[in-house]
Amino acid sequence: GGVQTPIAEAIFHAGRRLAAHGANRKVMFVLTDGVPSNEEKAVEMTKYFERYGVRIVYLVIGNLSATAWLAKARIPFAQAKTCDEICPALMNKAATLLS
């Protein structure tokens, strides 16, 4: 966590497996504090795998300010201040995030 979250690397490894899978619909949930160690690479990997049919949904635990990079890149996300708020936040935005 903190300032050393390897989001790009996680997306790369999980995305490769999902992209190669034969399923018609592929969804990856990324649970994070929202602060990638390399913002540019995290956005690049997210966009790359979305082009290959992987829907990537970010679930950010922390302050809304931790989602600035996602909003700037126009990547959908749900945000919760604490772990207890994850399910309600996701359900609140499920239709938007999974459409």
Side-chain angles (χ1 to χ4, degrees):
V3 297
Q4 296 299 316
T5 305
I7 292 174
E9 292 86 347
I11 297 296
F12 174 75
H13 291 292
R16 280 188 0 195
R17 292 186 70 190
L18 280 172
H21 195 277
N24 289 334
R25 185 163 178 158
K26 303 164 191 167
V27 179
M28 178 191 311
F29 289 94
V30 179
L31 185 61
T32 181
D33 62 2
V35 182
S37 54
N38 185 327
E39 181 181 318
E40 184 179 327
K41 279 289 190 193
V43 170
E44 179 184 329
M45 287 291 103
T46 299
K47 303 280 185 183
Y48 177 82
F49 285 105
E50 285 182 341
R51 287 192 299 274
Y52 283 91
V54 178
R55 180 72 169 123
I56 301 174
V57 177
Y58 282 86
L59 307 172
V60 180
I61 302 171
N63 293 325
L64 191 58
S65 62
T67 65
W69 71 279
L70 291 164
K72 179 178 156 191
R74 297 183 180 175
I75 297 172
F77 62 90
Q79 181 262 338
K81 287 185 181 180
T82 67
C83 292
D84 293 334
E85 295 176 16
I86 292 172
C87 285
L90 177 58
M91 297 311 278
N92 220 13
K93 293 195 72 165
T96 304
L97 293 169
L98 298 173
S99 61

